[in-house]
Amino acid sequence: MADQAFQVDLRGVVDLLSRHLYASPRVYLRELLQNAVDAITARGGGGGRVVVETGGGTLRVHDDGVGLTADEVHTLLATIGRSSKRDDLGFARHDFLGQFGIGLLSAFLVADEIEVVSRSARGGEAVRWTGRSEGSYRVEPGERDEPGTTVTLRPRQGSAELLSAPVVAELARAYGSLLPVDLVVDGATVTGDGPPWRASHPDPASRRRALERYCEELYGFTPFDVVDLEVAEAGLTGVAFVLPEPVSPTARSAHRVYLKRMLLAESVQGLLPDWAFFVRCVVDAGELRPTASREALFEDELLESARQGLGEVLRQWLVRLSETDPARLRGFLRLHQLGVKAMALHDDDMLRIVDRWMDYETSAGPMTLREFRRRHPEGRFTGSVEEFRRLSAVAGAQGVGLVNGGYVHDTEIIERLPDLDPDVRLTRLDAAELTTTFGVLDPAAELALRPFLAAAQRAVERLGCEVVVRDFDPASLPALYLTSRDAQFRDELTRAREEAGELWADVLGAVGASTGLERPQLVLNYRNPLTRRVTALGEGGPVEPAVQALYGQALLLGHHPLRPADTAVLNRSFIGLLEWAVHSPEATQ
C-alpha cells in the first residue's frame, strides 16, 4: 500500500495557534512586519520601506523587498510548518527575524482570507496568492509594477477593531518603532533613529536625561540609575533601569526585549539572574532565540550565558559605584539590600561591598560589619532576630559586641567573612556564654542565699531549668532566661518525643540520653531591687510563686516559646501571688 500524506485541517491549526500558542491575536501585525523586513533584508542594498494602510475595511502591508516568484509562492506559502524551505530559497535563519514556518498563518487569527501579491526582484511576472482559512488556496497572475510584496487582510467577524486605524498604529509603534527600515502607517512614519541607548548626544549628562525620559515613558518611574548593557556573544545591547523604590525579591522581573530590533514582548522573564530583581531592562539581541510563539526567549545555553553576562555587568556597576560614589551606593543598598546580599553569598566583590558599606543592627547601634569588627575584635552574632533583641542590651552592658544576623542571608554572609580575611573572629553567640561575663556574689552573700536557692530550684525543677544568682547590668532587668544551643536542641528533642509515636519516642529518647546536654538557666539579677527582695523572702514567704513569676516574665521578655507547662506555671504563679497578697497581714491592716 502506498504512503498517504497527512491532511491538515487549517482551521483547526489556526484555532490551536490562537488558543495555545499566541497570547493574543494582536501578534498578527508583528508577523506581517517580520515577513516584510525579512524580504527587505533578503533583497540587500540597505534601507527599505514598509507601508501599512488601513481603510475601506481592509489592511494592506506593502514592502519593497525581494519578492517571490510563482514557484516560491507555492513553496513558501502553501507548505505549513516547513521553515527549512526558507533556507533553501536564501532566507538564512541568522539574518532574519522569522524562524518558524507559521508566520503568515497568524493572519488567520483576524481574517478568513489572506491575499498576497508579489513580484520577485530576480525577475518574472507578479503573482497573486489567495489563501482561505478552511484550507484552500489559489495562485494566479497578479498586478504589481515594482519588486516587493503586498499582503491584504479583510477582518473576520468580530476582528474589525484589531484592523482599525488606531489599533494598527498602536501595534506598529509597539512592535516596529526600532526597526532598521522605514515603517509608515497611514502616512505617518513610526520608526525613529533606532534604539535610544545608541543615539548620539552632546555629552553624558544629556544622554542620561534622555534615557531617564525614555524610562519614564515606558515604565512610569524615574530610575535611580541607568546601566548600559552589552553581551557580545548574544549580540545584545540595551539599558537597565534601577528601580527607585524597594521591591519584593520574590517579584518576577519582566523586561522589554527586542530581537533584531523587532519587539519580542514587553514582559519577558528569565533574562536576568534571580537576584537582579531591582532593575527593569530594555534590550535588543541579535543571537537569542525566541520560543515558537515569539513572545518569550528560548531557554538554551546561549540564554544562560547571556544571563550570566548581564549579571556580571550589574555586578561591575556596583563595584564601580563603591569606588566612585559611596554615598550613592549607600542609598542603593538601603533600597535593594536583598539583591546585593544574594550576590554576596557567592561573589567576593559583593561580599566586600556588604562588609564595608552595608549597615547592620548591633548592640552598639547601626554600623557596618567592618566597623563592628574594628570596635569588637571578639564580637559575636546571633542567628535570629528574636535572640538579638533578647540579648543585645545584656550583651552590650557586659561589653560583648553583638550583631544581628537574623535577617535574610545575614548569617551566611557573616560566616563567609573569613573568605575575605582568615583572621576574622566573628563567631556565633552561645547564650550560655553570657553567664561567664556576669559578676558573682561574694562568698558570704552566696552562703546566705543557699536556702533560697534550694527553694527556688524546687519551684522550677519540673520545668527543666537551673536557677543561679548573678550580678549584672542592666539593673532594671530582674531575671534572664538563657539557653545554650545544646539546650535548645534538647528542648526540641523533648517536644518531638512527646509528639512522636512509641517507636520514634524510644529512638529519640536514646538520642537525648546520649547527648548529656546542659539545662537552660534562670539567671536572677542580684543588682535588681525586686530580685533582691524576692531572695530575702523567708520560709513563710511566697518563694515558689515569686520565682515562677520571674521565670514566666523572663520567658516573655525573651520572646521564648511557651510550652503548656510554662503557661500553666505562669498562671499558677499569678494566682498564688494574688492569694498571698490578699491574705497577708499587711493587706488586712
Side-chain angles (χ1 to χ4, degrees):
M1 181 179 293
D3 291 341
Q4 301 293 315
F6 283 107
Q7 298 298 311
V8 177
D9 179 1
L10 184 57
R11 188 178 295 276
V13 171
V14 172
D15 183 66
L16 182 66
L17 296 180
S18 63
R19 292 178 182 273
H20 300 289
L21 184 62
Y22 294 119
S24 166
R26 294 162 66 93
V27 299
Y28 80 91
L29 188 62
R30 181 192 64 193
E31 300 294 328
L32 295 181
L33 294 178
Q34 285 181 341
N35 288 340
V37 175
D38 280 354
I40 292 171
T41 304
R43 185 171 184 178
R49 183 179 176 88
V50 180
V51 178
V52 181
E53 296 176 339
T54 62
T58 62
L59 171 75
R60 291 181 173 85
V61 179
H62 311 273
D63 69 68
D64 54 4
V66 69
L68 300 171
T69 66
D71 289 341
E72 290 169 351
V73 164
H74 281 283
T75 302
L76 279 176
L77 303 185
T79 307
I80 297 173
R82 294 181 62 184
S83 58
S84 61
K85 288 294 183 182
R86 297 172 56 88
D87 299 343
D88 297 340
L89 297 173
F91 289 80
R93 290 188 174 206
H94 179 271
D95 298 327
F96 294 86
L97 298 170
Q99 296 186 16
F100 304 92
I102 58 174
L104 196 62
L105 286 181
S106 66
F108 283 125
L109 298 175
V110 296
D112 285 324
E113 182 178 282
I114 304 172
E115 179 187 274
V116 178
V117 177
S118 187
R119 182 169 187 156
S120 175
R122 293 183 286 270
E125 299 298 321
V127 61
R128 181 192 310 274
W129 177 91
T130 305
R132 298 179 181 84
S133 60
E134 85 276 0
S136 66
Y137 73 93
R138 181 176 69 251
V139 179
E140 56 191 349
E143 296 182 2
R144 184 180 177 93
D145 296 332
E146 300 295 331
T149 301
T150 297
V151 179
T152 302
L153 304 182
R154 294 174 178 82
R156 67 195 309 175
Q157 185 175 2
S159 298
E161 183 180 359
L162 290 172
L163 274 68
S164 65
V167 173
V168 169
E170 174 195 348
L171 294 177
R173 282 193 298 271
Y175 287 120
S177 61
L178 300 188
L179 286 174
V181 301
D182 290 334
L183 175 58
V184 180
V185 179
D186 289 333
T189 300
V190 169
T191 46
D193 298 326
W197 55 91
R198 291 184 173 180
S200 299
H201 296 277
D203 53 68
S206 299
R207 181 176 185 272
R208 168 68 178 258
R209 288 192 295 270
L211 290 175
E212 286 178 346
R213 290 193 296 270
Y214 179 59
C215 178
E216 291 165 358
E217 293 171 3
L218 283 183
Y219 294 122
F221 65 82
T222 301
F224 176 87
D225 206 348
V226 179
V227 184
D228 284 300
L229 302 175
E230 183 173 3
V231 180
E233 181 184 6
L236 183 149
T237 64
V239 284
F241 300 112
V242 181
L243 295 170
E245 301 291 340
V247 62
S248 170
T250 60
R252 298 291 294 176
S253 298
H255 310 286
R256 191 179 185 94
V257 175
Y258 294 82
L259 293 184
K260 298 182 177 69
R261 295 171 63 168
M262 173 72 79
L263 179 67
L264 178 72
E266 296 177 321
S267 301
V268 174
Q269 298 181 353
L271 179 66
L272 297 182
D274 290 340
W275 52 258
F277 57 84
F278 51 82
V279 297
R280 296 292 179 268
C281 298
V282 184
V283 301
D284 177 46
E287 304 296 333
L288 296 181
R289 296 169 55 196
T291 58
S293 67
R294 303 185 211 178
E295 295 173 342
L297 292 171
F298 186 77
E299 191 68 45
D300 57 10
E301 291 182 2
L302 182 57
L303 177 57
E304 176 60 27
S305 177
R307 186 182 296 127
Q308 294 178 5
L310 292 173
E312 177 63 16
V313 171
L314 293 174
R315 189 187 70 84
Q316 290 294 340
W317 166 73
L318 283 171
V319 172
R320 288 195 303 273
L321 208 59
S322 69
E323 296 171 349
T324 61
D325 197 344
R328 191 166 181 78
L329 176 66
R330 285 182 179 274
F332 169 80
L333 293 177
R334 285 192 293 270
L335 289 173
H336 302 297
Q337 57 178 294
L338 285 181
V340 178
K341 286 181 179 179
M343 285 190 283
L345 296 180
H346 311 286
D347 186 277
D348 287 348
D349 283 337
M350 291 299 101
L351 184 60
R352 290 186 183 93
I353 287 177
V354 170
D355 183 39
R356 183 177 179 183
W357 300 108
M358 188 173 290
D359 284 339
Y360 274 70
E361 192 176 7
T362 79
S363 55
M367 66 181 69
T368 66
L369 293 175
R370 175 179 291 188
E371 176 64 16
F372 177 82
R373 295 200 310 279
R374 187 185 66 80
R375 296 189 188 185
H376 302 279
E378 302 295 330
R380 299 286 190 270
F381 71 91
T382 64
S384 70
V385 176
E386 292 76 14
E387 186 179 21
F388 175 81
R389 292 173 179 170
R390 182 166 67 242
L391 301 176
S392 60
V394 176
Q398 317 314 312
V400 177
L402 198 59
V403 175
N404 185 357
Y407 293 111
V408 177
H409 302 318
D410 282 347
T411 291
E412 295 92 333
I413 285 173
I414 292 172
E415 290 175 340
R416 274 206 69 214
L417 289 176
D419 293 346
L420 298 181
D421 182 0
D423 295 329
V424 169
R425 293 184 179 85
L426 190 56
T427 57
R428 189 164 185 166
L429 176 73
D430 190 328
E433 295 178 19
L434 284 178
T435 58
T436 63
T437 67
F438 295 162
V440 296
L441 307 185
D442 62 77
E446 198 167 345
L447 183 62
L449 287 177
R450 281 186 178 177
F452 166 78
L453 284 173
Q457 187 61 51
R458 289 193 297 271
V460 296
E461 185 67 33
R462 290 181 293 105
L463 302 171
C465 180
E466 179 185 358
V467 180
V468 296
V469 179
R470 294 290 186 267
D471 188 301
F472 60 90
D473 286 321
S476 59
L477 187 67
L480 184 66
Y481 183 83
L482 293 179
T483 178
S484 66
R485 287 195 292 274
D486 284 345
Q488 289 175 351
F489 174 71
R490 180 176 182 174
D491 287 342
E492 293 170 0
L493 198 63
T494 300
R495 285 195 295 270
R497 189 168 59 244
E498 292 172 351
E499 298 171 1
E502 182 178 350
L503 173 61
W504 285 107
D506 291 341
V507 173
L508 293 171
V511 172
S514 65
T515 55
L517 301 173
E518 59 187 39
R519 296 197 297 176
Q521 290 184 330
L522 176 63
V523 185
L524 303 181
N525 187 4
Y526 201 64
R527 194 168 296 186
N528 178 268
L530 174 62
T531 300
R532 291 179 72 112
R533 288 197 295 270
V534 170
T535 60
L537 290 172
E539 291 186 3
V543 174
E544 180 175 339
V547 171
Q548 291 175 345
L550 290 175
Y551 169 83
Q553 187 206 34
L555 289 179
L556 294 173
L557 289 178
H559 301 281
H560 294 280
L562 293 180
R563 301 167 298 177
D566 298 328
T567 303
V569 164
L570 193 59
N571 291 335
R572 192 160 55 247
S573 66
F574 174 75
I575 297 299
L577 289 174
L578 185 61
E579 288 179 345
W580 181 83
V582 170
H583 292 93
S584 65
E586 292 81 0
T588 57
Q589 290 179 357

